[in-house]
Amino acid sequence: MAGLLRARTLQNWLAGRSLFGLAIGTLLFAASLTPSLTPRPPLLLGVLAGLGLAAGYVLGLALRGLWTYLGYTVHPAHPRGWQIIVGVLGLIAVVFLWLSMGWQNDIRTLFGMEPWSRWNSVTVALVSVITFGLLFLCGVGLRIVFRRSAKWLDSHFPRKVTVLLSALVAAIVLWAVVTGIVFRTGLHMMDSSFRELDALIEREAPAPTSTLKTGSAASLIAWDSLGRQGREYIGSGPSIEDIAQLAGGAVQQPIRVYAGLNSADTVEERARLALAELKRVGGFDKSVLVVIAPTGTGWVDAAAVDTLEYLHRGDVASVAIQYSYLASWLSLLVEPNYGSDSAKALFRQVYDHWKTLPKDSRPRLYLYGLSLGALSSESSMDLFDVIEDPIQGAVWAGPPFPSPLWNSATQNREPGSPVWLPRFRDGSIVRFTNQENQLNQPGARWGPMRIVYLQYGSDPITFFEPSSFYREPEWMRGKRAPDVSPSFVWIPGVTFTQMGVDMITGMSTPPGTGHVFAAEHYLDAWVAVTEPPGWTEDGLARLAATLKARQRAGS
């Protein structure tokens, strides 16, 4: 009798809460567990699965409400029917939880990561249930708002108008909570935390003593103003002894210049200050000069700059200015123009001085950017402004999907070349590469300006497509990139959400996958673009192996 009572209670609850919604929710729960570009931590996968369950449940309620609003009757399921349906839905959930472990391990194997254990699937299940429960409580609150609004509006409007207006009120409340409290407050908290972290001076990072270092007593830029990322950039990098040990021959100390957000009040002032500091330390006396657009936080990837400095035995100067505290994916959403404005200002200052120098003695000028820095660096140079006196090239790693030049070269690629590794025209100006060096194209000749895009097929920052909400991305059709799981299938709406999450988690993968670029792959790009003298194939192979080992070891 007690069991029958509980069954009837559950049946009544499902009838009131929409068995149809539970069915759609279970299907979205299952879809959320399918693989995407990058591997998922169990907690994150559980949250996504819970969100899918909740979204499907709400969709079912909405369709049920629309059906009754139109005047149709919702007939409850047969007592045995709903039990069968619930059993089938539960089986689907269990099967997809079991399959998710294999899918995640497939990606982790591609990325060279440790496989999941069985307990991770249990974690996913528990977290998804907790997530759904919390969202369900939020839904109960919105329902209370709807009912109270309807009760007040009933005395002023016809019933159908009341329903629409009450739904609008509930939607406004939901929007206000999400954007006003969750998003804005969260963004403010992140901005504040990034700002405080950026201002923190580490005990192990004292101001440099060399007069050739930015932030020294002789520098035009105060050490405290550089920010955490700027101090890391200036304080790290290979010494003369390090370069001599790996590269041999006559070596020099590389020049690095950096201006932080607190170094000057405006973008233009920071750019002018960086140029003045670059002149002071003799940056224009080097053979290679690189204008760097950092990521959103102001970070400059050591794997890229260190590699270049080793290749040219220290005969390199580089300069960068900070424009934000936020991570690139956040900057891309809320302040995409800041990076471009900053990169344009710095390039203009450096280029205007560089082109006044004698052509036979000035350094070769290059651009570099990673992630949002690649997008910013792209926009820093107008080809029509430099065509009379062009720079020598650029290396852009992990260009974000909105990058105009990258998009143009990709869309206008040669027929037969895949979207994840295009071949653009005759390869004289722009070439693409990935984990395997693709830059030595048979029959292709480099022109006076060389641009290399380093990109991985598993990089969500590069291959996210807003249209994936309703259309399968082209890079999922036909032959796929070697680091993209063959189990990754396109599901309308779900794939869009998965890749949006991938954009946040893409920096947590091992070097050479996702949005983390390996030193040995930078090496290939810099060799192709700058042609460093005095290197043999064996020497480059030894340097690549050493840089790879150091990056993997975190040194």
Side-chain angles (χ1 to χ4, degrees), residues 380-509:
S380 69
M381 176 187 65
D382 189 323
L383 289 176
F384 291 103
D385 291 339
V386 303
I387 195 168
E388 183 179 358
D389 195 0
I391 68 170
Q392 279 62 61
V395 170
W396 290 319
F401 64 93
S403 305
L405 184 58
W406 174 83
N407 268 296
S408 176
T410 300
Q411 292 169 7
N412 295 288
R413 65 189 181 278
E414 290 296 299
S417 62
V419 68
W420 46 269
L421 190 63
R423 179 162 180 166
F424 181 67
R425 297 185 180 176
D426 62 357
S428 61
I429 300 177
V430 178
R431 297 185 189 181
F432 293 78
T433 189
N434 56 13
Q435 289 92 339
E436 297 293 329
N437 189 359
Q438 307 287 338
L439 298 172
N440 298 319
Q441 299 178 1
R445 179 190 62 83
W446 274 115
M449 182 188 295
R450 304 179 178 189
I451 297 174
V452 166
Y453 282 106
L454 172 58
Q455 59 188 43
Y456 300 148
S458 57
D459 186 353
I461 298 292
T462 297
F463 291 105
F464 175 81
E465 291 187 22
S467 62
S468 64
F469 190 90
Y470 58 86
R471 183 177 63 197
E472 182 182 21
E474 189 174 357
W475 51 264
M476 295 185 72
R477 305 171 200 155
K479 184 180 179 181
R480 294 187 175 184
D483 50 338
V484 175
S485 171
S487 301
F488 185 15
V489 296
W490 175 72
I491 303 173
V494 175
T495 298
F496 172 87
T497 305
Q498 287 178 321
M499 292 191 62
V501 175
D502 284 337
M503 291 176 68
I504 303 174
T505 61
M507 284 293 292
S508 60
T509 61

Side-chain angles (χ1 to χ4, degrees), residues 198-345:
D198 189 69
L200 179 65
I201 298 180
E202 309 84 348
R203 294 180 181 178
E204 64 274 14
T209 56
S210 171
T211 59
L212 295 180
K213 293 276 191 178
T214 298
S216 66
S219 175
L220 303 176
I221 303 175
W223 180 247
D224 293 356
S225 73
L226 296 183
R228 187 183 184 89
Q229 301 294 357
R231 291 190 292 271
E232 172 65 23
Y233 171 63
I234 295 299
S236 62
S239 65
I240 290 181
E241 292 76 19
D242 294 331
I243 297 173
Q245 182 180 4
L246 280 186
V251 300
Q252 305 176 30
Q253 179 63 50
I255 294 294
R256 295 185 176 190
V257 171
Y258 191 99
L261 274 174
N262 294 321
S263 298
D265 292 334
T266 67
V267 167
E268 292 294 338
E269 289 174 349
R270 287 194 290 273
R272 286 193 293 269
L273 184 60
L275 174 64
E277 178 72 0
L278 189 62
K279 293 178 181 177
R280 184 192 71 82
V281 295
F284 290 94
D285 297 329
K286 296 288 189 179
S287 296
V288 173
L289 173 59
V290 184
V291 179
I292 297 173
T295 64
T297 62
W299 178 64
V300 178
D301 192 357
V305 184
D306 291 3
T307 300
L308 180 65
E309 292 170 344
Y310 279 115
L311 278 173
H312 288 272
R313 296 176 171 87
D315 194 11
V316 176
S318 55
V319 57
I321 61 176
Q322 186 183 18
Y323 56 88
S324 175
Y325 300 108
L326 298 176
S328 286
W329 66 272
L330 276 172
S331 296
L332 190 62
L333 292 174
V334 301
E335 51 182 26
N337 294 329
Y338 285 12
S340 297
D341 293 344
S342 176
K344 287 177 182 177

Side-chain angles (χ1 to χ4, degrees), residues 10-30 32 48-66 86 89 128 131-140 143:
L10 178 60
Q11 179 183 356
N12 293 335
W13 184 87
L14 288 172
R17 299 296 189 273
S18 176
L19 182 61
F20 184 53
L22 187 61
I24 296 179
T26 302
L27 294 179
L28 287 184
F29 169 86
S32 300
L48 291 176
L51 287 172
L53 179 59
Y57 183 76
V58 170
L59 178 60
L61 287 180
L63 292 175
R64 182 177 184 270
L66 178 62
V86 170
L89 295 178
S128 63
T131 301
F132 175 77
L134 293 174
L135 292 173
F136 183 84
L137 291 177
C138 292
V140 171
R143 189 174 185 180

Side-chain angles (χ1 to χ4, degrees), residues 95-113:
V95 168
F96 272 79
L97 277 170
W98 180 78
L99 290 173
S100 68
M101 185 180 71
W103 288 328
Q104 290 300 313
N105 283 340
D106 286 344
I107 304 176
R108 296 176 77 85
T109 299
L110 284 175
F111 283 28
M113 301 172 68

